[in-house]
PDB file of all heavy atoms in Angstrom:
ATOM      1  N   ARG Z 165      -5.730   5.051   8.260  1.00  0.00           N
ATOM      2  CA  ARG Z 165      -5.261   3.981   7.387  1.00  0.00           C
ATOM      3  C   ARG Z 165      -3.877   4.290   6.954  1.00  0.00           C
ATOM      4  O   ARG Z 165      -3.536   5.344   6.363  1.00  0.00           O
ATOM      5  CB  ARG Z 165      -6.174   3.808   6.175  1.00  0.00           C
ATOM      6  CG  ARG Z 165      -5.617   2.727   5.158  1.00  0.00           C
ATOM      7  CD  ARG Z 165      -6.203   2.790   3.813  1.00  0.00           C
ATOM      8  NE  ARG Z 165      -5.740   1.804   3.050  1.00  0.00           N
ATOM      9  CZ  ARG Z 165      -5.725   1.762   1.627  1.00  0.00           C
ATOM     10  NH1 ARG Z 165      -6.103   2.792   0.915  1.00  0.00           N
ATOM     11  NH2 ARG Z 165      -5.269   0.713   1.072  1.00  0.00           N
ATOM     12  N   PRO Z 166      -2.835   3.361   7.164  1.00  0.00           N
ATOM     13  CA  PRO Z 166      -1.612   3.612   6.653  1.00  0.00           C
ATOM     14  C   PRO Z 166      -1.597   3.297   5.061  1.00  0.00           C
ATOM     15  O   PRO Z 166      -2.307   2.302   4.693  1.00  0.00           O
ATOM     16  CB  PRO Z 166      -0.753   2.559   7.297  1.00  0.00           C
ATOM     17  CG  PRO Z 166      -1.459   2.189   8.498  1.00  0.00           C
ATOM     18  CD  PRO Z 166      -2.954   2.236   8.099  1.00  0.00           C
ATOM     19  N   PRO Z 167      -1.069   4.276   4.249  1.00  0.00           N
ATOM     20  CA  PRO Z 167      -1.240   4.163   2.924  1.00  0.00           C
ATOM     21  C   PRO Z 167      -0.868   2.794   2.390  1.00  0.00           C
ATOM     22  O   PRO Z 167       0.306   2.226   2.839  1.00  0.00           O
ATOM     23  CB  PRO Z 167      -0.219   5.210   2.341  1.00  0.00           C
ATOM     24  CG  PRO Z 167      -0.091   6.107   3.406  1.00  0.00           C
ATOM     25  CD  PRO Z 167      -0.286   5.314   4.699  1.00  0.00           C
ATOM     26  N   GLY Z 168      -1.656   2.135   1.443  1.00  0.00           N
ATOM     27  CA  GLY Z 168      -1.273   0.922   1.035  1.00  0.00           C
ATOM     28  C   GLY Z 168      -1.397  -0.241   1.947  1.00  0.00           C
ATOM     29  O   GLY Z 168      -0.790  -1.364   1.696  1.00  0.00           O
ATOM     30  N   ASN Z 169      -1.917  -0.002   3.096  1.00  0.00           N
ATOM     31  CA  ASN Z 169      -2.056  -0.916   4.215  1.00  0.00           C
ATOM     32  C   ASN Z 169      -0.722  -1.379   4.796  1.00  0.00           C
ATOM     33  O   ASN Z 169      -0.625  -2.532   5.264  1.00  0.00           O
ATOM     34  CB  ASN Z 169      -2.871  -2.230   3.776  1.00  0.00           C
ATOM     35  CG  ASN Z 169      -4.289  -1.880   3.457  1.00  0.00           C
ATOM     36  OD1 ASN Z 169      -4.831  -0.816   3.818  1.00  0.00           O
ATOM     37  ND2 ASN Z 169      -5.024  -2.850   2.898  1.00  0.00           N
ATOM     38  N   ARG Z 170       0.374  -0.569   4.614  1.00  0.00           N
ATOM     39  CA  ARG Z 170       1.546  -0.925   5.140  1.00  0.00           C
ATOM     40  C   ARG Z 170       1.430  -1.031   6.725  1.00  0.00           C
ATOM     41  O   ARG Z 170       0.647  -0.503   7.358  1.00  0.00           O
ATOM     42  CB  ARG Z 170       2.707  -0.005   4.766  1.00  0.00           C
ATOM     43  CG  ARG Z 170       2.631   1.394   5.271  1.00  0.00           C
ATOM     44  CD  ARG Z 170       3.781   2.138   5.090  1.00  0.00           C
ATOM     45  NE  ARG Z 170       3.611   3.559   5.328  1.00  0.00           N
ATOM     46  CZ  ARG Z 170       3.375   4.165   6.559  1.00  0.00           C
ATOM     47  NH1 ARG Z 170       3.276   3.353   7.638  1.00  0.00           N
ATOM     48  NH2 ARG Z 170       3.306   5.457   6.738  1.00  0.00           N
ATOM     49  N   THR Z 171       2.521  -1.760   7.316  1.00  0.00           N
ATOM     50  CA  THR Z 171       2.537  -1.843   8.736  1.00  0.00           C
ATOM     51  C   THR Z 171       2.833  -0.495   9.260  1.00  0.00           C
ATOM     52  O   THR Z 171       3.687   0.296   8.811  1.00  0.00           O
ATOM     53  CB  THR Z 171       3.558  -2.862   9.199  1.00  0.00           C
ATOM     54  OG1 THR Z 171       3.416  -4.072   8.604  1.00  0.00           O
ATOM     55  CG2 THR Z 171       3.686  -2.928  10.695  1.00  0.00           C
ATOM     56  N   PRO Z 172       2.131   0.052  10.390  1.00  0.00           N
ATOM     57  CA  PRO Z 172       2.416   1.334  10.885  1.00  0.00           C
ATOM     58  C   PRO Z 172       3.924   1.391  11.463  1.00  0.00           C
ATOM     59  O   PRO Z 172       4.405   0.334  11.957  1.00  0.00           O
ATOM     60  CB  PRO Z 172       1.471   1.545  12.083  1.00  0.00           C
ATOM     61  CG  PRO Z 172       0.500   0.359  11.951  1.00  0.00           C
ATOM     62  CD  PRO Z 172       0.998  -0.684  11.101  1.00  0.00           C
ATOM     63  N   THR Z 173       4.581   2.567  11.290  1.00  0.00           N
ATOM     64  CA  THR Z 173       5.821   2.624  11.854  1.00  0.00           C
ATOM     65  C   THR Z 173       5.722   2.769  13.344  1.00  0.00           C
ATOM     66  O   THR Z 173       4.775   3.250  13.928  1.00  0.00           O
ATOM     67  CB  THR Z 173       6.572   3.896  11.322  1.00  0.00           C
ATOM     68  OG1 THR Z 173       5.874   5.078  11.794  1.00  0.00           O
ATOM     69  CG2 THR Z 173       6.682   3.917   9.797  1.00  0.00           C
ATOM     70  N   PRO Z 174       6.873   2.502  14.099  1.00  0.00           N
ATOM     71  CA  PRO Z 174       6.905   2.647  15.571  1.00  0.00           C
ATOM     72  C   PRO Z 174       6.505   4.038  15.936  1.00  0.00           C
ATOM     73  O   PRO Z 174       5.895   4.326  16.967  1.00  0.00           O
ATOM     74  CB  PRO Z 174       8.380   2.310  16.076  1.00  0.00           C
ATOM     75  CG  PRO Z 174       8.831   1.467  14.917  1.00  0.00           C
ATOM     76  CD  PRO Z 174       8.130   1.953  13.612  1.00  0.00           C
ATOM     77  N   GLN Z 175       6.886   5.117  15.152  1.00  0.00           N
ATOM     78  CA  GLN Z 175       6.617   6.487  15.417  1.00  0.00           C
ATOM     79  C   GLN Z 175       5.100   6.737  15.443  1.00  0.00           C
ATOM     80  O   GLN Z 175       4.560   7.400  16.284  1.00  0.00           O
ATOM     81  CB  GLN Z 175       7.360   7.392  14.546  1.00  0.00           C
ATOM     82  CG  GLN Z 175       8.898   7.622  14.876  1.00  0.00           C
ATOM     83  CD  GLN Z 175       9.688   6.543  14.224  1.00  0.00           C
ATOM     84  OE1 GLN Z 175       9.184   5.600  13.551  1.00  0.00           O
ATOM     85  NE2 GLN Z 175      10.916   6.720  14.402  1.00  0.00           N
ATOM     86  N   GLU Z 176       4.590   6.139  14.254  1.00  0.00           N
ATOM     87  CA  GLU Z 176       2.958   6.437  14.135  1.00  0.00           C
ATOM     88  C   GLU Z 176       2.340   5.753  15.377  1.00  0.00           C
ATOM     89  O   GLU Z 176       1.345   6.312  15.857  1.00  0.00           O
ATOM     90  CB  GLU Z 176       2.645   5.810  12.860  1.00  0.00           C
ATOM     91  CG  GLU Z 176       3.091   6.700  11.692  1.00  0.00           C
ATOM     92  CD  GLU Z 176       2.966   5.903  10.428  1.00  0.00           C
ATOM     93  OE1 GLU Z 176       2.765   4.615  10.376  1.00  0.00           O
ATOM     94  OE2 GLU Z 176       3.309   6.407   9.281  1.00  0.00           O
ATOM     95  N   VAL Z 177       2.744   4.633  15.741  1.00  0.00           N
ATOM     96  CA  VAL Z 177       2.168   3.846  16.913  1.00  0.00           C
ATOM     97  C   VAL Z 177       2.267   4.721  18.164  1.00  0.00           C
ATOM     98  O   VAL Z 177       1.348   4.990  18.834  1.00  0.00           O
ATOM     99  CB  VAL Z 177       2.731   2.524  17.109  1.00  0.00           C
ATOM    100  CG1 VAL Z 177       2.234   1.832  18.471  1.00  0.00           C
ATOM    101  CG2 VAL Z 177       2.444   1.606  15.913  1.00  0.00           C
ATOM    102  N   ALA Z 178       3.479   5.333  18.390  1.00  0.00           N
ATOM    103  CA  ALA Z 178       3.874   6.032  19.507  1.00  0.00           C
ATOM    104  C   ALA Z 178       2.868   7.261  19.719  1.00  0.00           C
ATOM    105  O   ALA Z 178       2.496   7.670  20.707  1.00  0.00           O
ATOM    106  CB  ALA Z 178       5.259   6.344  19.667  1.00  0.00           C
ATOM    107  N   ILE Z 179       2.834   7.922  18.441  1.00  0.00           N
ATOM    108  CA  ILE Z 179       2.010   9.144  18.378  1.00  0.00           C
ATOM    109  C   ILE Z 179       0.627   8.849  18.769  1.00  0.00           C
ATOM    110  O   ILE Z 179      -0.067   9.606  19.434  1.00  0.00           O
ATOM    111  CB  ILE Z 179       2.214   9.822  17.016  1.00  0.00           C
ATOM    112  CG1 ILE Z 179       3.563  10.374  16.907  1.00  0.00           C
ATOM    113  CG2 ILE Z 179       1.123  10.938  16.761  1.00  0.00           C
ATOM    114  CD1 ILE Z 179       3.982  10.771  15.452  1.00  0.00           C
ATOM    115  N   CYS Z 180      -0.028   7.687  18.247  1.00  0.00           N
ATOM    116  CA  CYS Z 180      -1.447   7.495  18.430  1.00  0.00           C
ATOM    117  C   CYS Z 180      -1.790   6.737  19.711  1.00  0.00           C
ATOM    118  O   CYS Z 180      -2.909   6.680  20.098  1.00  0.00           O
ATOM    119  CB  CYS Z 180      -1.941   6.646  17.186  1.00  0.00           C
ATOM    120  SG  CYS Z 180      -1.916   7.695  15.673  1.00  0.00           S
ATOM    121  N   LEU Z 181      -0.795   6.210  20.264  1.00  0.00           N
ATOM    122  CA  LEU Z 181      -1.015   5.364  21.548  1.00  0.00           C
ATOM    123  C   LEU Z 181      -1.738   6.078  22.596  1.00  0.00           C
ATOM    124  O   LEU Z 181      -2.657   5.381  23.241  1.00  0.00           O
ATOM    125  CB  LEU Z 181       0.288   4.854  22.093  1.00  0.00           C
ATOM    126  CG  LEU Z 181       0.363   3.599  22.931  1.00  0.00           C
ATOM    127  CD1 LEU Z 181      -0.404   2.352  22.385  1.00  0.00           C
ATOM    128  CD2 LEU Z 181       1.713   3.237  23.473  1.00  0.00           C
ATOM    129  N   PRO Z 182      -1.506   7.207  22.880  1.00  0.00           N
ATOM    130  CA  PRO Z 182      -2.309   7.938  24.073  1.00  0.00           C
ATOM    131  C   PRO Z 182      -3.785   8.031  23.843  1.00  0.00           C
ATOM    132  O   PRO Z 182      -4.581   7.888  24.663  1.00  0.00           O
ATOM    133  CB  PRO Z 182      -1.717   9.303  24.213  1.00  0.00           C
ATOM    134  CG  PRO Z 182      -0.276   9.264  23.463  1.00  0.00           C
ATOM    135  CD  PRO Z 182      -0.430   8.177  22.414  1.00  0.00           C
ATOM    136  N   PHE Z 183      -4.084   8.212  22.514  1.00  0.00           N
ATOM    137  CA  PHE Z 183      -5.578   8.139  22.150  1.00  0.00           C
ATOM    138  C   PHE Z 183      -6.239   6.872  22.438  1.00  0.00           C
ATOM    139  O   PHE Z 183      -7.336   6.830  23.099  1.00  0.00           O
ATOM    140  CB  PHE Z 183      -5.689   8.681  20.748  1.00  0.00           C
ATOM    141  CG  PHE Z 183      -5.344  10.063  20.515  1.00  0.00           C
ATOM    142  CD1 PHE Z 183      -4.235  10.404  19.778  1.00  0.00           C
ATOM    143  CD2 PHE Z 183      -6.247  11.046  21.014  1.00  0.00           C
ATOM    144  CE1 PHE Z 183      -3.921  11.708  19.518  1.00  0.00           C
ATOM    145  CE2 PHE Z 183      -5.774  12.456  20.823  1.00  0.00           C
ATOM    146  CZ  PHE Z 183      -4.751  12.760  20.058  1.00  0.00           C
ATOM    147  N   ILE Z 184      -5.576   5.849  21.853  1.00  0.00           N
ATOM    148  CA  ILE Z 184      -6.508   4.448  22.082  1.00  0.00           C
ATOM    149  C   ILE Z 184      -6.319   4.068  23.629  1.00  0.00           C
ATOM    150  O   ILE Z 184      -7.270   3.532  24.100  1.00  0.00           O
ATOM    151  CB  ILE Z 184      -5.705   3.311  21.292  1.00  0.00           C
ATOM    152  CG1 ILE Z 184      -6.562   2.081  21.415  1.00  0.00           C
ATOM    153  CG2 ILE Z 184      -4.352   3.115  21.475  1.00  0.00           C
ATOM    154  CD1 ILE Z 184      -7.952   2.073  20.888  1.00  0.00           C
ATOM    155  N   GLN Z 185      -5.241   4.366  24.329  1.00  0.00           N
ATOM    156  CA  GLN Z 185      -5.148   4.152  25.804  1.00  0.00           C
ATOM    157  C   GLN Z 185      -6.422   4.938  26.462  1.00  0.00           C
ATOM    158  O   GLN Z 185      -7.040   4.324  27.345  1.00  0.00           O
ATOM    159  CB  GLN Z 185      -3.801   4.641  26.360  1.00  0.00           C
ATOM    160  CG  GLN Z 185      -2.742   3.589  25.975  1.00  0.00           C
ATOM    161  CD  GLN Z 185      -1.274   4.061  26.373  1.00  0.00           C
ATOM    162  OE1 GLN Z 185      -1.118   5.214  26.521  1.00  0.00           O
ATOM    163  NE2 GLN Z 185      -0.435   3.200  26.622  1.00  0.00           N
ATOM    164  N   ARG Z 186      -6.581   6.167  26.066  1.00  0.00           N
ATOM    165  CA  ARG Z 186      -7.624   6.926  26.743  1.00  0.00           C
ATOM    166  C   ARG Z 186      -8.943   6.359  26.338  1.00  0.00           C
ATOM    167  O   ARG Z 186      -9.817   6.286  27.129  1.00  0.00           O
ATOM    168  CB  ARG Z 186      -7.549   8.393  26.295  1.00  0.00           C
ATOM    169  CG  ARG Z 186      -8.496   9.377  26.908  1.00  0.00           C
ATOM    170  CD  ARG Z 186      -8.209   9.438  28.379  1.00  0.00           C
ATOM    171  NE  ARG Z 186      -8.992  10.549  28.957  1.00  0.00           N
ATOM    172  CZ  ARG Z 186      -9.343  10.692  30.193  1.00  0.00           C
ATOM    173  NH1 ARG Z 186      -8.910   9.659  31.095  1.00  0.00           N
ATOM    174  NH2 ARG Z 186     -10.059  11.740  30.644  1.00  0.00           N
ATOM    175  N   GLN Z 187      -9.130   5.906  25.113  1.00  0.00           N
ATOM    176  CA  GLN Z 187     -10.369   5.319  24.649  1.00  0.00           C
ATOM    177  C   GLN Z 187     -10.652   4.105  25.579  1.00  0.00           C
ATOM    178  O   GLN Z 187     -11.899   3.818  25.889  1.00  0.00           O
ATOM    179  CB  GLN Z 187     -10.230   4.951  23.089  1.00  0.00           C
ATOM    180  CG  GLN Z 187     -11.472   4.874  22.523  1.00  0.00           C
ATOM    181  CD  GLN Z 187     -11.358   4.666  20.974  1.00  0.00           C
ATOM    182  OE1 GLN Z 187     -10.182   4.977  20.346  1.00  0.00           O
ATOM    183  NE2 GLN Z 187     -12.414   4.416  20.160  1.00  0.00           N
TER     184      GLN Z 187
END
Side-chain angles (χ1 to χ4, degrees):
R165 179 195 182 205
N169 294 349
R170 65 163 168 72
T171 303
T173 65
Q175 284 85 354
E176 289 159 357
V177 173
I179 289 168
C180 293
L181 199 56
F183 289 110
I184 184 64
Q185 286 173 332
R186 183 66 168 158
Q187 201 169 351

